[in-house]
Amino acid sequence: MAVSGYDYHDGVYTATQGAKDLAAGLGELQKGTDEALSGVDELDSGAQRLQTMAEQNSAKIDAVQKAMPAPAAHSAPAVALDPRLAVLLSALTLLGGAGMGVYWAAAARAGARVWHVLLLGTLGLTITATAGLALFALPALDGASLAAAAPAVGLAAGVFVLATLAGAVATRVLIAATGIGWGLSLAGVGGLAQLLLTGWVWKAGITGAALVAANLFPLAWATSGVAVAINGGDAALQWTAVGVLAVIVCCGIAVSRAVRPVQTAVVTNDE
């Protein structure tokens, strides 16, 4: 009986201890499950924060894109100007400017004012050249295209103004430096030479030494300025042409002012 009772009590004790161990294990398992669930919650919370940040970034990108200017509807120029027409119209303004330069030289010898003649002449030649440009280059455009081409035409008109004044000051300086006879001869020969050379370069697409030689004359720069303004192209070439013509005008005016006292002294000695 003692042995049998001992075994019974030992079995009961073992079963009880096993139940306690099982309960402790279940408690550890529950604790681990709770920690796992907590980690899942934190992961879900982090995913939600990432989603919120992505939506905010997307909204900011949309706002920036809406604030940026829309790209041009087309990259091709609205009009196509024949470079030979640009040569002829630029030559017209230079020729008219040369005529004003002759009058300027004569008026300077007589002590008369010429600025009103230069102003009206430049205005008239610019309007004439711009009208020719509009007549031959713009008639096929509709209203919207005409409005889009207006800035280009305005820029070309500015080039015509500079070309006219460049022709006037160049002729004025030549006459002041060499006299009326030689001045007119040099102006005529120079005008014909630059017309032939520039026309040939633009018609045949010549590069190299011929292009360098043509760029020594204002007609080449005036043609470049008008052609690039209307047809589109390198903006650097456009503003280089405007800058070269502006320098010619400014230098010519400065030189014409400097030689005026010399010519007055010559006239006085002749008398």
Side-chain angles (χ1 to χ4, degrees):
M1 290 295 292
V3 173
S4 298
Y6 174 79
D7 291 338
Y8 173 76
H9 286 289
D10 185 62
V12 171
Y13 175 79
T14 302
T16 303
Q17 187 65 34
K20 291 180 180 180
D21 293 339
L22 178 61
L26 290 175
E28 293 291 336
L29 179 62
Q30 181 65 34
K31 182 180 179 181
T33 302
D34 292 339
E35 292 178 352
L37 292 175
S38 177
V40 171
D41 292 338
E42 292 180 358
L43 181 62
D44 181 65
S45 177
Q48 290 180 357
R49 287 197 296 269
L50 290 176
Q51 179 66 24
T52 302
M53 293 173 61
E55 292 175 353
Q56 291 176 350
N57 288 336
S58 178
K60 291 179 181 179
I61 292 174
D62 292 339
V64 171
Q65 290 177 343
K66 291 178 180 180
M68 293 176 63
H74 58 277
S75 58
V79 294
L81 175 65
D82 189 339
R84 292 173 295 181
L85 178 60
V87 172
L88 293 177
L89 293 175
S90 300
L92 171 66
T93 57
L94 282 167
L95 179 61
M100 292 194 303
V102 174
Y103 176 83
W104 187 0
R109 293 177 67 88
R113 295 183 177 274
V114 296
W115 296 110
H116 63 287
V117 176
L118 292 177
L119 178 62
L120 293 177
T122 301
L123 181 61
L125 287 168
T126 300
I127 292 175
T128 301
T130 305
L133 181 67
L135 178 64
F136 290 102
L138 305 181
L141 299 181
D142 56 16
S145 298
L146 283 174
V153 175
L155 186 56
V159 175
F160 288 142
V161 170
L162 291 173
T164 301
L165 294 175
V169 297
T171 305
R172 167 72 176 91
V173 170
L174 284 175
I175 294 176
T178 62
I180 186 67
W182 279 106
L184 288 176
S185 299
L186 291 174
V189 172
L192 181 60
Q194 62 180 315
L195 176 60
L196 295 176
L197 182 58
T198 304
W200 176 53
V201 166
W202 279 89
K203 180 180 179 181
I206 303 297
T207 59
L211 179 60
V212 174
N215 285 336
L216 298 176
F217 297 100
L219 179 58
W221 292 108
T223 302
S224 297
V226 173
V228 174
I230 299 301
N231 291 339
D234 188 2
L237 176 60
Q238 168 70 62
W239 294 111
T240 299
V242 171
V244 169
L245 292 174
V247 168
I248 292 174
V249 172
C250 293
C251 292
I253 292 175
V255 172
S256 66
R257 285 177 174 273
V259 298
R260 182 180 303 173
V262 176
Q263 289 204 359
T264 302
V266 172
V267 174
T268 303
N269 291 335
D270 290 342
E271 292 177 352

